[in-house]
Amino acid sequence: FTTDIAFIASKLKKKPFIITPHGFHRIVIGNQHLIHNLYDLTIGRSVLSKAAYVTCVSREEIEIVKRIASNACTIFIPNGIHYSRYQRSRPEKFIEKYKIPYPFVLTIARLSRIKGFDYWVQVASRLKEYSFVWIGPIEDSRLLRKYLPLPKHCFILGSVNEQDKIDALNASSCFFLPSRYEAFSLALLEAQACGKPVVASDVGGLPSAVDKEAGILVRPGDIEGYCNAIIRAMHNPEQGLKGRIFAKQHDWSIILE
């Protein structure tokens, strides 16, 4: 309820306020409880309507805001990256440090249900010819324990430093994001900046985060679809090179012009 506090503070100080919304996955994936519905239709609608601006990271997110408050003043400000950072890498260092068998499919996300960890395990269990690497904080340890022990070709690395992440992106053969919902995905942009083909769920703002020639979007939860897309990407690595131009267009220097 930090948004509500900001709204009250803006009224007390008589200053305009700007909102960047989060948590729309509840609406999209049908995990909306009665209290959430009541909030969105009352307080949420009022706050969105009275904000000076509601900044959204994708066009798809704007549509959701308008469903709640049709008169909200929305503005599109996409997420960006510092493109040049992803060109300075030593991928062999990552392979040596973490002892990952090559080739490997990389995922960078919080380990949780919303990020599709259960889908990831199912896909990895079918594609045993590739290593699967998950980087990101373990948000749901109960979910992880449910699938232990993982197959030997699966590696959960948890959080890593920024340089290891960049080295992992450059060392990988394909990037995979099986999320149930995403407003946008910086990780997809980062993977494309490294020239990697990407496979992701066709949800939320992900269509805005993927170059049509560099990536493949799959219906969320379609395990066979994910597998086929990954195999196709692994056999066509040059496909990912087309994403570099797309990623470069999302450099902060261009976005802020």
Side-chain angles (χ1 to χ4, degrees):
F1 295 98
T2 52
T3 298
D4 306 321
I5 295 172
F7 172 61
I8 295 170
S10 73
K11 290 300 180 183
L12 293 175
K13 293 180 177 293
K14 297 181 179 180
K15 291 185 178 180
F17 68 102
I18 298 172
I19 298 175
T20 301
H22 295 280
F24 284 150
H25 62 276
R26 292 183 287 102
I27 299 173
V28 176
I29 68 174
N31 189 27
Q32 185 86 332
H33 298 299
L34 176 60
I35 191 169
H36 294 143
N37 281 318
L38 291 174
Y39 176 86
D40 286 344
L41 294 174
T42 54
I43 299 173
R45 176 175 293 169
S46 177
V47 171
L48 289 171
S49 299
K50 293 177 181 178
Y53 293 103
V54 180
T55 65
C56 297
V57 296
S58 68
R59 305 289 184 188
E60 292 82 0
E61 197 170 43
I62 289 177
E63 293 178 9
I64 297 175
V65 170
K66 292 294 188 180
R67 279 163 52 186
I68 299 171
S70 59
N71 61 336
C73 184
T74 56
I75 183 171
F76 173 51
I77 303 179
N79 283 327
I81 60 173
H82 295 286
Y83 179 82
S84 61
R85 289 182 183 175
Y86 301 91
Q87 314 313 309
R88 299 189 293 268
S89 173
R90 294 182 62 185
E92 69 280 0
K93 296 273 287 185
F94 177 81
I95 299 296
E96 293 170 7
K97 182 175 180 178
Y98 293 98
K99 307 294 190 251
I100 305 295
Y102 195 81
F104 70 88
V105 178
L106 177 64
T107 298
I108 299 177
R110 302 188 315 276
L111 196 157
S112 64
R113 184 177 181 276
I114 192 67
K115 299 298 182 180
F117 179 71
D118 50 334
Y119 297 157
W120 182 86
V121 173
Q122 293 177 65
V123 171
S125 297
R126 292 193 185 190
L127 300 180
K128 298 179 181 179
E129 62 268 40
Y130 311 125
S131 296
F132 279 75
V133 177
W134 187 294
I135 288 176
I138 299 173
E139 183 177 273
D140 190 341
S141 57
R142 182 182 298 180
L143 178 65
L144 174 59
R145 288 195 300 270
K146 178 180 177 180
Y147 291 100
L148 293 178
L150 291 169
K152 292 182 178 180
H153 64 293
C154 294
F155 301 85
I156 307 297
L157 303 186
S159 299
V160 303
N161 63 52
E162 184 69 11
Q163 189 56 56
D164 280 358
K165 182 189 76 172
I166 293 172
D167 290 344
L169 284 163
N170 279 283
S172 67
S173 298
C174 170
F175 188 85
F176 176 40
L177 189 65
S179 299
R180 285 177 165 81
Y181 178 75
E182 295 277 354
F184 196 79
S185 172
L186 276 177
L188 283 175
L189 281 183
E190 293 170 333
Q192 290 169 101
C194 296
K196 303 302 174 180
V198 298
V199 175
S201 298
D202 188 5
V203 293
L206 293 190
S208 299
V210 175
D211 179 81
K212 292 180 180 179
E213 295 188 51
I216 305 172
L217 295 175
V218 179
R219 180 173 55 84
D222 182 355
I223 305 303
E224 184 175 353
Y226 288 139
C227 291
N228 291 336
I230 288 172
I231 292 170
R232 176 179 160 190
M234 295 294 273
H235 283 86
N236 296 280
E238 70 283 352
Q239 172 185 331
L241 298 176
K242 299 173 183 178
R244 287 189 184 273
I245 296 174
F246 177 81
K248 199 167 187 178
Q249 292 170 346
H250 286 77
D251 187 276
W252 277 119
S253 61
I254 295 175
I255 293 174
L256 295 175
E257 284 181 354

